[in-house]
Structure formats: structure tokens, C-alpha cells
Amino acid sequence: MPSSPATTSIAAHTSHGLPRATQAFCPIPDASKAPSSFLLAPVTGSDGAHAIGSGHFRGRNLLSVDDLSRLEIDRLMQVADYMATVVAGPGSVDLAKGCILAALFYEPSTRTSASFQAAMLRLGGQVLSIGDVASSSVAKGETLEDTVRCLQCYSNIIALRHPEKGAAARAAKVMGIPLINAGDGIGEHPTQALLDLYTMHGELGRVDGLVVTMVGDLKNGRTVHSLSKLLTHFQGVHMRFVAPDSLRMPEALLDTLQQRGAKFSQHSSLDDVLKETDVLYVTRVQKERFSSDAEYDAVKDSFVITPALLTRLGARDCLRILHPLPRVNELAPELDDDPRSAYFRQMKHGLHVRMAIIACLLGKA
Ligand code: NCD
């Protein structure tokens, strides 16, 4: 979101024929004319003093959304806009030619893993995928540290998903190439939060001033942990956290949000909040984080979003429903054709945003 008003529309309409919101994050160059390198105008702060341009992120990690300043977020969004034009146009660029991404996933993943790999391929790079850690030396008892020490010998950047909170930070300590946290237990999922942000802006044309209601498993959902912190960079955002008592946002995170001056409130029902909501961010109850099936069963269907519920609670026409996916029962399939359901469009943006992140950390954008 550049401070300059000179923005361009990405695409006029969604596949539903809905007017697509949208102000792109930057004036977009013609991707077909820039196949192997490009220079986007640097993102500049309102004071004009700071500018973030090509090479700014070279060699850095992305472990948490806290690694990013507002200007850096804007820059990643700007580069993601460019990547969307690449995908829609020529399909690929040569920015990462000669580079290899190692995708190291200790937990199940479809979207995150596939989109990281597709992103690297569309950037002209190659991929080394260690998806089934059971068939790697992890099964022999190798530590995470030793595994990433090994993979960095064969790659230029690593995307890591791991069941332990803090695992990405631990791995990064022994590494000399960029590491992207693709989800660390109940900790964070910064790339998902960036694509959620990109989707909100694309759908509604702004982030400032939105009422964002997050519902479901807010205790264990790493995507909401990252997204809530990311939203504190924007003006006048109101967050509504809706969860059963046992799945509320962690207190330490609420303290952080408070210290950053975020406006939020907690609720046990959608009844009072859906009407005023701009973005309904639905999450899955994270079965794998529960110690027993009985505990999971007690809360698993606490919130199920259906067309009838949206009507009964007076949801707006301009509401957008997001979900990091996969869904279980919390989003009725009957919602899929509702133009307000943005979750499949959101999934597609995972590619654009991850292309931007990889290109930036490799110092290619
Ligand atoms: C999320 C995750 O893994 O945290 N999925 C994803 O990355 N798209 C959400 C979830 O698993 O519920």
C-alpha cells in the first residue's frame, strides 16, 4: 500500500462477475516486457525519508510477522501485485534461475507446500521437496538443526513447517541461507497472514478501518496469531475474536495487541458482531493440537457458517469470508458460490504472495 495515490486496478471483475475491488498496491509494469528482471519503483514512507527497493530483503529470514515493518509489508504486497501479473501473463519469470528452494514439511500440508513449490518454479527456480520426513534421516533421530544444516548445502532458501512453536527460530540460528516459517506449531504462519492481508485489500480495496471478525480455534490457530499482529500496522482496524471459552486467543498475544494499541473485543457468539463485520475470517478447530478426541468433539462444531446464518444475522452484501483452509465442518459447501466467499480466491493469492516473498529474500526483487 504505497503512500502515493497512483494506483491501478488489477482486474475489473471476479469470476463471479462481482466488481473486484480493487486498487492494486502499485502501478503495475507490463510483466510480458520484463521477463528476467524488473525494477519496481521503491516503496516510500510518507516522510519520503525511507525507501524500500530491489535487494532490500536479500538474505533475510521470515520467521514472524514481527520481522516486518509497515513499509516492508507494503513492499511485499507491491511485489505480489507484480507476481499476479506474471502468473496471469507469461506464467513465469527467470528471477530465481539457478536457485533451489528446499521445502521441508514435518506436518501435513497441501496449499502451503504446493504453493511454495509452484512459486519457486514460476520464478524460474527449482525445488527440493522433503515432504515425507518419515523417509528422511529425521526417522533416524536427526535433529532439526542437523537437517537444515544438511539442506542448506544443497539449496538457496528453505521453507520449513514444523509442529513445535519456535522451531523456525531454532533452525534459523544454525543457518546461513534465508528461512521461511511455513507454520511452527501453534506459533505463527507469517506467509499465510500476508496472503490473507493481500486478499482483504484486493477484495475490499482497503485494510484501514475494516472490522475483521476471526472465529473458531483462536487458541491453536497460528494463522490468526500472525494475522492479528499484522493488522496492527493499519489504521482503525477493529478485530472481533469469536471462540468458545476454551479456544480463546492466548493472553500473551492479547497483551501484545493491547500494547500496540489494537482495537479488539472478545465474544462467544457471532450474534452481535456479524452485522458490522467486513471480513469474516473462519478457522478450523485444530484437531491435531488436542490431547483427546473427547476434548475435540466437545468444541469441534462450535461455529458452522451457513447461508442461513448469514441471512439470520444480517451479514452485509460487501462481507468477505476468508479461511486459510483446509475446512472441516465450519464452512458449509453451500457458501462456495456466494460471491462473498473469497476463500478460493485467497488460496490462489498464496502463489502470488509466496513468489514475492521468495524473490525478495533471495534479493531478486
Ligand atoms: C493452516 C495451517 O496450516 O495453519 N493451513 C494453511 O496453511 N493453509 C490452517 C489450518 O491448518 O487449519
Side-chain angles (χ1 to χ4, degrees):
M1 290 140 284
S3 46
S4 142
T7 52
T8 317
S9 181
I10 304 180
H13 294 278
T14 64
S15 54
H16 300 284
L18 201 74
R20 163 110 108 179
T22 90
Q23 294 287 301
F25 284 90
C26 70
I28 297 174
D30 180 351
S32 62
K33 298 209 176 85
S36 60
S37 65
F38 69 98
L39 280 176
L40 292 175
V43 169
T44 311
S46 50
D47 58 358
H50 300 95
I52 295 187
S54 201
H56 171 87
F57 292 93
R58 184 190 307 275
R60 277 177 44 178
N61 300 316
L62 180 56
L63 307 180
S64 157
V65 290
D66 294 336
D67 295 341
L68 300 170
S69 68
R70 171 58 197 267
L71 219 49
E72 289 171 339
I73 296 164
D74 288 355
R75 174 67 178 181
L76 289 173
M77 299 292 107
Q78 181 200 37
V79 178
D81 271 346
Y82 171 77
M83 295 305 174
T85 70
V86 167
V87 174
S92 64
V93 278
D94 283 344
L95 287 175
K97 194 168 177 204
C99 294
I100 293 178
L101 167 93
L104 177 59
F105 279 66
Y106 289 75
E107 275 191 338
S109 171
T110 304
R111 265 152 298 274
T112 307
S113 167
S115 62
F116 263 118
Q117 297 185 50
M120 189 55 166
L121 295 172
R122 287 189 182 272
L123 287 168
Q126 287 172 295
V127 170
L128 189 62
S129 174
I130 314 287
D132 180 13
V133 289
S135 65
S136 75
S137 285
V138 171
K140 301 179 186 169
E142 186 169 62
T143 63
L144 171 64
E145 284 84 348
D146 283 357
T147 301
V148 295
R149 275 188 185 106
C150 163
L151 288 177
Q152 70 173 351
C153 298
Y154 315 135
S155 60
N156 304 85
I157 185 164
I158 297 180
L160 170 70
R161 170 167 290 188
H162 197 280
E164 282 166 31
K165 184 176 175 182
R170 191 150 65 79
K173 281 209 176 93
V174 301
M175 285 175 51
I177 62 171
L179 178 70
I180 304 172
N181 179 3
D184 61 329
I186 63 167
E188 280 216 38
H189 197 346
T191 66
Q192 179 69 45
L194 287 162
L195 80 89
D196 297 339
L197 182 75
Y198 185 78
T199 305
M200 282 180 203
H201 188 270
E203 293 284 332
L204 296 167
R206 68 195 166 100
V207 177
D208 289 339
L210 293 180
V211 176
V212 180
T213 298
M214 303 185 200
V215 58
D217 188 348
L218 308 184
K219 176 184 175 202
N220 299 305
R222 54 195 171 201
T223 68
V224 289
H225 300 166
S226 291
L227 181 60
S228 58
K229 289 195 287 179
L230 199 58
L231 288 173
T232 62
H233 288 276
F234 295 83
Q235 298 298 313
V237 172
H238 288 256
M239 291 183 256
R240 309 278 181 243
F241 300 132
V242 183
D245 267 0
S246 60
L247 300 180
R248 284 156 68 126
M249 280 287 233
E251 283 303 321
L253 178 53
L254 294 177
D255 289 347
T256 302
L257 297 178
Q258 192 121 47
Q259 280 157 22
R260 295 183 187 179
K263 297 194 188 73
F264 64 85
S265 52
Q266 299 195 81
H267 308 263
S268 53
S269 156
L270 277 169
D271 287 13
D272 299 331
V273 297
L274 193 65
K275 215 179 342 184
E276 57 163 10
T277 295
D278 298 301
V279 175
L280 181 63
Y281 190 94
V282 187
T283 64
R284 172 178 71 92
V285 177
Q286 309 272 301
K287 184 174 188 194
E288 65 276 30
R289 315 287 178 211
F290 284 73
S291 44
S292 75
D293 283 353
E295 274 177 58
Y296 170 70
D297 288 342
V299 286
K300 67 176 181 189
D301 290 328
S302 301
F303 294 96
V304 179
I305 313 299
T306 62
L309 182 86
L310 296 187
T311 305
R312 182 169 69 76
L313 297 182
R316 296 171 169 178
D317 288 344
C318 62
L319 171 78
R320 288 296 180 275
I321 304 171
L322 272 65
H323 190 306
L325 302 174
R327 65 176 150 184
V328 187
N329 286 328
E330 63 280 358
L331 272 184
E334 294 75 42
L335 282 169
D336 293 356
D337 291 330
D338 188 315
R340 293 172 293 186
S341 296
Y343 35 89
F344 295 138
R345 300 190 287 274
Q346 175 187 8
M347 181 164 74
K348 204 164 178 185
H349 291 317
L351 175 64
H352 311 142
V353 171
R354 291 187 171 114
M355 284 173 78
I357 293 166
I358 294 169
C360 285
L361 300 185
L362 287 175
K364 310 288 186 188

